[in-house]
Amino acid sequence: MKFQVDRDVMAEAVSWASRSLPTKSTNPLLTGLHIVADRDGIVLSGSDADVSARVNLSANVAEAGTILVPGRLLADITRSLPSSDIDVAVEGPRATITCGRSSFTIPTMPVTEYPPLPNMPEISGTVSGSEFANAIAQVFVAASRDETLPAFTGIKVDVEGSLITLAATDRYRLAIRELEWSPTQTNLTTNALVPAKFLSDTAKSLATSELVSLAFASINEGIVGVEGAGRQTTSRMLAADFPKYRSLLPSESSSVAQVSTASLAEAVKRVALVLDREQPVKITFTATEAIVTGGGGSGDIAQAQEYVECTTTGDEISIAFNPGFLQDGLNAIDAPVAVISMTAPAKPAVITGASDMDAQPQDEFKYLLMPIRQP
């Protein structure tokens, strides 16, 4: 097996494919990167048994062949090489990698024992790469990082015709984003609970793609696939029950505040400087301003207070939030004006975005945040 490929192209592809490799595994072969070279170029692939990644590369192939090499070692080597052509040659159980005046010889692994990667499901539809990346980023902030609660580490993907609804929650906040796409069947209806980290990493890597293809296998098969820019990746769905999130959204509100997103985020950030880790930030919404306070309570505890202009319709209300969760929501709405709809100090608030103070809320993204009860 012999081929020549551009170093920058190879390094980027190996780095992307090796993300799916496990750091530790009961099957050492899964730490390897599978490389197939033929007259069409080369295909790099890897898997940790749950997530798989494939990438196609253009290359000058002198001798076709298939090898399995230590994936992370190959990633480290290609990343460190100078910007030039890489020559790869395999003789017996070793592969030689040459670039300029640099040369490495690494062992190969038994390729015949490498387990087959899961097949990519049939394409279900396409969506803009940038819109997909933005939508996933908005809901990813609300996904739990606690692996002991698998249902909350995923993003729920509900498909109804040309509309995808994404949802994520960690039990303290809920993010919902609606996204238009082009399904292969206008009556397509499906749902999947997909690992949030998989979707986040994949969406980021394909953000510059004009179109990204999504593929949903049946629930029994339990596989979801994403493809774009010559890259293809799959993941097993999470076998867990996601909460019935639509019922959590309040049907009405007694107070609606409109405030500059950036101004409120900066005020919360400054007030949080005096707070201990578990302390909330309290906001009193009046007709014309939001009063942000935190800390205090005794003479030796720091306290901070900020005033931010806002317009509140309805009742004056004081409500307390986890400052980090609140900032996540303000950053996620991706709009100059935050619209905060509230019912009572102990009931969840819903944050949406608007283009200006007089505009209607942009309902395609909602961020529901549970308040912290005050003594």
Side-chain angles (χ1 to χ4, degrees), residues 69-80:
V69 295
R72 298 192 185 279
L73 176 59
L74 182 62
D76 290 341
I77 290 172
T78 55
R79 190 185 304 117
S80 69

Side-chain angles (χ1 to χ4, degrees), residues 58-75:
S58 296
N60 295 319
V61 178
E63 292 181 14
T66 302
I67 58 169
L68 184 68
V69 295
R72 298 192 185 279
L73 176 59
L74 182 62

Side-chain angles (χ1 to χ4, degrees), residues 32 44 63 82 106 111 115 125 129 153 156 161 184 189 238 262-263 267 274 333:
L44 306 176
E63 292 181 14
I106 62 175
V111 69
T153 63
K156 183 69 181 302
T184 55
T189 299
L238 292 170
S263 297
V274 304
I333 61 173

